[in-house]
């Protein structure tokens, strides 16, 4: 496992905290998943008693907190939200989301790079939600990011990996950069596939939070990312167009 801004994660699964039927089910899902990171929205934290109860529950999970700028559409809004999140959650980590398209929730990569540079210069450790575009990836690294988080598919769509070629190309282009597939994961097989491509972690939320049994799905996702990582490290065989006999013909009797 690669380090994320110098931090070793106990598990390559990162889990969101939104949309769960109840706080109790959220906690059960997290414990079943063994996830090492919880993404938290500043809006979800809120103010008053409910917000404080939620924040205490997240702290009790003993995981790393990754605040996000979900719902931001401008550089100013994202930077301000990140600064507030650092004060509330006491961490320099920030998942930088800057949405450019309303229907697909595709990131606005032009504003994303600008915001990433501002936040990096301000001491933030930025986890940018981006596309699989290689040039954008280069610009984000030049802006100070040490992690890239390309989408698998639109947020909450559950479609899996829409552009496997692009994700493979990003892994090949940035072999020493921690890469996380973020968004679009719907099934454990999607998560395993991402890890089989050589990605270092998977971030998901909706697939677990809105499953009929969130805790069971969380456990399935945890096992999937572990299996996918082991498969990648095992150096799997290449796909072939033709059959290749697994039983040797040397020594076979010819009648």
């Amino acid at each position: 496992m690669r380090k994320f801004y110098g931090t070793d994660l106990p598990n390559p699964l990162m889990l969101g905290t939104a949309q769960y039927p109840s706080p109790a089910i959220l906690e059960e899902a997290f414990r079943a998943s063994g996830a090492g990171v919880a993404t938290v929205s500043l809006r979800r934290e809120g103010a008053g008693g409910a917000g404080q109860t939620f924040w205490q529950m997240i702290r009790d999970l003993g995981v790393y907190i990754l605040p996000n700028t979900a719902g931001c559409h401008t550089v100013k809004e994202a930077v301000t939200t990140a600064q507030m999140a650092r004060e509330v959650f006491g961490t320099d980590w920030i998942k930088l989301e800057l949405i450019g398209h309303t229907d697909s929730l595709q990131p606005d990569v032009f504003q994303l790079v600008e915001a990433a540079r501002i936040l990096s210069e301000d001491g933030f450790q930025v986890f940018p939600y981006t596309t699989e575009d290689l040039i954008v990836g280069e610009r984000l690294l030049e802006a100070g990011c040490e992690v890239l988080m390309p989408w698998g598919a639109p947020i909450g769509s559950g479609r899996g990996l829409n552009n496997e070629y692009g994700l493979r190309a990003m892994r090949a282009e940035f072999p020493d950069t921690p890469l996380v597939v973020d968004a679009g994961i719907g099934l454990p097989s999607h998560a395993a596939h991402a890890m089989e491509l050589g990605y270092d972690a998977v971030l998901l939320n909706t697939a677990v939070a809105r499953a009929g049994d969130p805790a069971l799905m969380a456990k399935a996702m945890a096992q999937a990312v572990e299996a996918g990582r082991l498969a990648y490290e095992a150096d799997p065989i290449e796909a072939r167009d033709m059959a290749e006999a697994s039983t040797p013909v040397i020594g076979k009797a010819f009648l």
Side-chain angles (χ1 to χ4, degrees):
M1 287 292 293
R2 289 178 174 83
K3 293 181 181 292
F4 292 81
Y5 289 102
T7 298
D8 288 312
L9 299 183
N11 187 308
L13 181 60
M14 302 180 178
L15 202 54
T17 57
Q19 305 185 67
Y20 290 84
S22 72
I25 291 176
L26 185 157
E27 182 177 3
E28 183 183 10
F30 259 88
R31 298 199 184 282
S33 73
V37 174
T39 61
V40 181
S41 169
L42 185 65
R43 294 172 178 81
R44 178 66 179 84
E45 160 65 11
Q52 290 301 317
T53 299
F54 171 79
W55 179 217
Q56 184 60 52
M57 180 191 66
I58 296 299
R59 283 188 293 188
D60 289 344
L61 291 173
V63 299
Y64 291 99
I65 305 299
L66 178 60
N68 63 47
T69 62
C72 292
H73 294 265
T74 67
V75 172
K76 181 178 180 181
E77 185 180 10
V79 169
T80 300
T81 300
Q83 291 169 339
M84 294 171 64
R86 178 162 63 180
E87 183 175 337
V88 171
F89 298 109
T91 179
D92 290 327
W93 280 17
I94 190 72
K95 179 190 171 186
L96 181 60
E97 293 185 33
L98 242 165
I99 301 303
H101 190 264
T102 303
D103 291 335
S104 67
L105 300 181
Q106 180 171 331
D108 182 333
V109 295
F110 304 100
Q111 293 197 89
L112 182 69
V113 172
E114 182 181 352
R117 179 172 290 106
I118 293 170
L119 291 173
S120 295
E121 290 175 352
D122 192 26
F124 282 91
Q125 296 174 331
V126 181
F127 292 68
Y129 167 61
T130 183
T131 65
E132 64 276 24
D133 188 289
L134 301 183
I135 305 303
V136 174
E138 289 180 359
R139 298 295 180 267
L140 287 167
L141 295 178
E142 290 169 359
C145 298
E146 296 181 14
V147 176
L148 297 175
M149 302 180 72
W151 64 346
I155 295 171
S157 67
R159 295 181 59 86
L161 308 184
N162 274 356
N163 184 3
E164 180 180 336
Y165 171 81
L167 293 172
R168 284 185 183 275
M170 180 165 272
R171 177 70 287 170
E173 182 71 14
F174 307 112
D176 300 319
T177 300
L179 299 181
V180 182
V181 169
D182 176 14
I185 299 297
L187 294 169
S189 57
H190 300 158
H193 193 186
M195 299 299 291
E196 288 166 2
L197 295 181
Y199 277 69
D200 301 289
V202 170
L203 195 159
L204 57 92
N205 187 166
T206 307
V208 168
R210 299 184 65 177
D213 187 332
L216 190 59
M217 182 60 78
K219 183 177 181 180
M221 290 293 184
Q223 293 178 352
V225 295
E226 181 180 3
R229 184 65 191 179
L230 289 174
Y232 174 74
E233 293 176 348
D235 190 15
I237 64 171
E238 296 289 336
R240 295 170 53 91
D241 292 328
M242 299 293 291
E244 180 180 8
S246 58
T247 303
V249 296
I250 298 176
K252 179 181 177 181
F254 289 91
L255 304 175

